[in-house]
Amino acid sequence: MNHSALITTLTDIVGKDFILTDPRKTLFYRKGYRFGEGKAIAVVKPKTLLEYWKVLEACVKDDVIVISQSANTGLTGGSTPDGNDYDRDIVIINTLLLNGIQLIEKNTQVVCLAGATLYELEDILRPLHREPHSVIGSSCIGASVVGGVCNNSGGALVQRGPAYTEMALFAQIDENGQLVLKNHLGIHLGNTPEEILTNLQNKRYNLNDVETNCGKGSDHDYCQHVREVDANTPARFNADPARHFEASGCAGKLAVFAVRLDTFPMDKETAVFYIGTNDIQTLNEVRRTMLTAFDGLPISGEYIHRDAYDLATTYGKDTFWVIKTMGTKWLPKLFALKAKADRVAERIPFMPRHFSDKFMQVMSKLIPEQLPEKMTAFHKKYDHHLILKVGGDLIEPTREYLQEFFKDKQRGDFFECDAKESQAAMLHRFAVASAAIRYHNVHEKDVGELVALDIALRRNDKDWFEKLPPEIDDKILHKLYYGHFMCHVFHQDYILKPGVDGHKLEEAMLKLLDERGAQYPAEHNVGHLYDAKPALKKFYHDLDPTNGFNPGLGHTSKNKNWQ
C-alpha cells in the first residue's frame, strides 16, 4: 500500500533526522539480535513521550501494524518483524531516546520511561545503595527496563523473580480500533494525553500526586514461592498467568510509556563461594538446604557445566576481557559498533559472513589467560560448577555449612573467592551465554544449526541434568548447559551436526521437556520461536483485540482482528 502521507506525517512529528525508510538503514531495527527479520516501511525514533503518542495516533489511523522496541536485545525475535506474511505494513517505533528515570517514594521506587536501560538504572541507584530488580545478564548489553517488564524477564537474583509491576502508563487499541491512553502509574498527571505525557516527561508532579499502596512494583510473593522446593511446578516461566498484568508480560501488545517499580537495598557485604562436584545430587542438597533451612535467601546461584565452561574459555575470552578492563558501560556502544561492522561487511562481496565474530576471535588469541588457577583446577576436576553468592547475615552460616558439608570429599569441594576470583567467576558465567553464538558463527561451515532452549524445570525435579536419548544425542556436536540453579531455570544451547533439521530436533526435545513437566520459555518470552499456550494467547487477545500491536507472537495470527 502507498503510505506516503503517513511517512510525511511521521516526519513532521519527529523530524527528518529521526525517521528511517531506506531498507539498508532500517535493517538494524528490523533484524533480531539472534533471530527474526522482516520488512518495515519506516523506523521512527520519538524524542518525547508526546511524540510517541502522536506517532501511535498516526499509525493507528492509517491502519498499519506497530512494533515498539527499545534496545532490540531479545533472543526470540519478539521485538522485530518475523517474515513478510503480515496482512498490513509495519512501522517500527524505537524508544531508546525516551530514557528518563525518576526517583520517588524516598528512592524505594522508580518511574522508568520507555527507553531507560537497566544499566542506567543501576548507575543511578548505586550511589543510593539501592539496586533494581535485575543486575546482571542483558543489562550489560543495554536492555531496557520496560522491555524486561513486558517480557517478564527473570535473571540471576534468587529473591526477586520475574520483572513485574501493576503500575504502568500505556496506550492500547480497544475493540473499536481506537487508541486510548491509560494512566495506571498511581501518579496524578492530568486528564488529557498531552497533559499526562508532558507532565511525566518533565516530572511536573509533587509528593501529594503520588499514591501509595496502589499496586505492586515487584513480585512480592516470589521469595516464598522459590522456597517451595517440593512443589511439582516450576518457580517461574513466561506463560504463568499469575505474573501477567497489563504491561507485565504484554510483549508489545501494549505501547508502554513508563513503568513504576520497586528498588531494593544493596547488601553492604557479600561473599562468593565456588562449588565443584561430579554428582548432581550434591548440588540438589545444597540447593534444598539453602532455600529451606536458612533464614535468608542467597543473592544468586549460577550453574555452569564443564563443557560450557570450556567453550567460554576460548570463545568468550574477549567478552570477559572487555568487561574486566572497560566495565559494562561501553558494551552497548561496542555491540552497536559490532552490528554496524557486520552490516558493512555484508555489502562487500569478498568479506565473510559474521565478520565481526571471526575478527574478534582471531584478536582474542592475543589476550592472555584470564581465569584464576583455582577455577581452572576445578574445571579439570569437576563436571558441575555452582557460583553461590550470599550477603549480610547469610555469609557466616553459609561458610560454616559448606565447610561441614564438604568434609566428605566424595561430594566435591568448594573455595571462598577473593575479590578477583569473585569477579572472574561472574564474568565467566556471563561469557558462557554468548560463547555458543561465537563458536557457531566462527565455525559456520563445519557445523549445523544452533538450537537454544530456555527452560524452567519443576522445583522438585532432582534429575535436572538432561540425558538425551541416542536418536537425539547422536545429532548434536556440542551441548552447553548453564543457568539460574536456585530457581531451576536453565539455558541449554545445542550446536548440531551439519545437515540436521534444527526445527524437527527442537520439537523432539520439547516433547521430552513436556514429559518432564517443564515449562518453556522460562524468561525470554515466546517471541516468534515458541508456541504461546492458551492462557498466554488469551492474555494477548484481551490486551490487543484488533491485533494491531506486534502481531504473530507465539505463532498466533498476524492478521487484523486475529483472523
Side-chain angles (χ1 to χ4, degrees):
M1 294 180 66
N2 186 343
H3 294 288
S4 57
L6 173 62
I7 300 300
T8 299
T9 300
L10 297 177
T11 304
D12 290 341
I13 294 169
V14 299
K16 65 179 181 179
D17 293 333
F18 299 94
I19 182 169
L20 305 173
T21 56
D22 183 338
R24 292 174 299 177
K25 295 180 178 179
T26 62
L27 179 62
F28 176 77
Y29 306 90
R30 296 185 291 107
K31 187 174 183 178
Y33 175 69
R34 183 186 277 186
F35 175 84
E37 181 182 347
K39 293 179 180 178
I41 60 172
V43 174
V44 188
K45 302 178 182 180
K47 304 176 292 300
T48 67
L49 297 178
L50 186 56
E51 283 186 2
Y52 188 8
W53 170 259
K54 290 180 177 179
V55 168
L56 289 169
E57 282 188 312
C59 290
V60 171
K61 183 179 179 181
D62 209 53
D63 197 25
V64 296
I65 289 168
V66 171
I67 297 177
S68 293
Q69 65 173 216
S70 47
N72 188 19
T73 59
L75 300 183
T76 57
S79 57
T80 62
D82 178 51
N84 300 309
D85 54 342
Y86 297 83
D87 66 343
R88 293 149 290 167
D89 289 320
I90 296 171
V91 170
I92 296 171
I93 303 177
N94 184 277
T95 65
L96 271 185
L97 297 179
L98 307 174
N99 59 352
I101 296 173
Q102 301 169 8
L103 294 161
I104 60 173
E105 297 290 87
K106 298 180 180 179
N107 303 331
T108 63
Q109 290 189 326
V110 288
V111 175
C112 296
L113 305 191
T117 66
L118 283 168
Y119 175 79
E120 291 166 342
L121 182 55
E122 285 183 58
D123 214 27
I124 286 172
L125 292 177
R126 192 176 295 111
L128 305 172
H129 303 288
R130 308 284 298 181
E131 290 180 334
H133 164 269
S134 186
V135 296
I136 77 164
S138 297
S139 60
C140 295
I141 54 174
S144 72
V145 178
V146 167
V149 171
C150 291
N151 290 299
N152 284 140
S153 296
L157 301 184
V158 178
Q159 311 102 319
R160 298 177 196 172
Y164 177 81
T165 186
E166 296 171 357
M167 298 171 286
L169 173 64
F170 57 89
Q172 183 175 31
I173 303 175
D174 66 18
E175 62 274 7
N176 299 314
Q178 300 299 308
L179 187 72
V180 293
L181 184 69
K182 295 188 176 181
N183 179 13
H184 295 169
L185 279 175
I187 303 174
H188 299 289
L189 296 164
N191 298 310
T192 67
E194 290 77 10
E195 289 176 336
I196 293 169
L197 297 169
T198 303
N199 287 338
L200 179 61
Q201 183 94 49
N202 297 308
K203 203 180 179 183
R204 275 193 217 129
Y205 57 88
N206 56 46
L207 289 175
N208 294 329
D209 293 320
V210 179
E211 299 177 30
T212 57
N213 302 318
C214 55
K216 295 178 181 178
S218 62
D219 185 352
H220 296 174
D221 301 323
Y222 191 75
C223 282
Q224 179 56 38
H225 187 73
V226 75
R227 284 182 180 273
E228 296 167 359
V229 295
D230 291 316
N232 201 36
T233 56
R236 55 181 170 93
F237 56 98
N238 285 131
D240 186 355
R243 295 178 179 88
H244 293 160
F245 189 92
E246 296 177 345
S248 297
C250 74
K253 302 303 287 181
L254 301 172
V256 182
F257 292 86
V259 293
R260 177 175 166 181
L261 297 163
D262 294 336
T263 69
F264 303 85
M266 184 182 293
D267 286 289
K268 293 180 181 179
E269 184 182 6
T270 62
V272 174
F273 300 93
Y274 199 99
I275 298 169
T277 183
N278 290 315
D279 182 4
I280 65 170
Q281 298 307 324
T282 292
L283 296 190
N284 276 343
E285 191 165 343
V286 170
R287 172 178 172 267
R288 292 177 67 87
T289 301
M290 293 295 297
L291 292 181
T292 61
F294 284 67
D295 291 337
L297 288 171
I299 296 172
S300 62
E302 292 296 287
Y303 169 78
I304 310 174
H305 183 261
R306 185 207 294 262
D307 294 343
Y309 182 111
D310 192 47
L311 202 75
T313 302
T314 301
Y315 294 92
K317 188 200 291 186
D318 56 325
T319 301
F320 183 112
W321 181 82
V322 166
I323 300 175
K324 181 180 177 180
T325 55
M326 301 175 65
T328 59
K329 186 174 183 178
W330 293 97
L331 277 183
K333 293 179 181 179
L334 292 175
F335 271 84
L337 182 63
K338 176 180 180 295
K340 186 175 182 179
D342 283 335
R343 291 199 303 275
V344 171
E346 285 174 1
R347 297 201 292 268
I348 302 174
F350 61 84
M351 294 294 281
R353 274 168 40 93
H354 307 301
F355 164 76
S356 64
D357 278 313
K358 292 172 181 176
F359 174 77
M360 289 190 295
Q361 190 57 37
V362 171
M363 297 303 294
S364 72
K365 295 178 182 178
L366 303 176
I367 300 172
E369 293 302 320
Q370 300 292 303
L371 296 175
E373 291 182 6
K374 288 181 183 177
M375 285 177 58
T376 301
F378 268 49
H379 164 241
K380 293 177 180 178
K381 191 172 182 180
Y382 299 116
D383 284 342
H384 308 286
H385 299 237
L386 180 66
I387 307 164
L388 183 64
K389 184 176 182 180
V390 298
D393 293 340
L394 210 62
I395 295 175
E396 188 55 34
T398 302
R399 183 181 292 127
E400 292 174 357
Y401 164 68
L402 294 177
Q403 287 172 346
E404 181 64 28
F405 184 76
F406 284 107
K407 282 182 177 178
D408 180 359
K409 296 304 179 185
Q410 295 297 315
R411 290 171 164 167
D413 204 353
F414 85 101
F415 64 89
E416 185 170 351
C417 300
D418 61 23
K420 289 184 178 180
E421 290 162 347
S422 295
Q423 181 192 44
M426 294 299 182
L427 288 182
H428 195 58
R429 164 62 183 86
F430 180 78
V432 165
S434 59
I437 299 173
R438 169 67 63 80
Y439 179 91
H440 182 266
N441 290 346
V442 168
H443 298 281
E444 60 178 333
K445 294 181 180 179
D446 305 311
V447 302
E449 297 179 47
L450 171 64
V451 171
L453 298 182
D454 165 34
I455 66 169
L457 298 182
R458 293 173 291 116
R459 283 167 282 174
N460 65 352
D461 194 340
K462 295 180 180 179
D463 294 321
W464 49 269
F465 188 70
E466 184 174 66
K467 298 180 182 66
L468 293 171
E471 62 270 20
I472 293 178
D473 198 55
D474 290 346
K475 297 176 181 178
I476 301 171
L477 282 173
H478 298 286
K479 301 188 290 287
L480 308 179
Y481 300 117
Y482 53 100
H484 315 305
F485 186 68
M486 296 295 171
C487 302
H488 259 197
V489 167
F490 293 88
H491 304 297
Q492 301 183 172
D493 296 338
Y494 308 88
I495 298 168
L496 308 185
K497 293 180 179 179
V500 175
D501 187 322
H503 179 68
K504 288 183 178 179
L505 195 71
E506 182 176 349
E507 285 186 337
M509 290 177 170
L510 294 180
K511 286 182 180 178
L512 294 177
L513 290 171
D514 289 337
E515 293 171 5
R516 295 173 64 189
Q519 292 281 353
Y520 49 84
E523 56 185 13
H524 292 153
N525 221 323
V526 292
H528 293 286
L529 278 181
Y530 297 90
D531 287 327
K533 296 183 178 178
L536 187 58
K537 288 181 182 178
K538 183 180 185 304
F539 180 59
Y540 290 161
H541 193 284
D542 291 345
L543 292 179
D544 185 20
T546 67
N547 210 19
F549 286 157
N550 206 10
L553 294 173
H555 300 143
T556 58
S557 172
K558 294 180 177 179
N559 298 332
K560 188 172 182 179
N561 298 319
W562 301 86
Q563 294 177 3

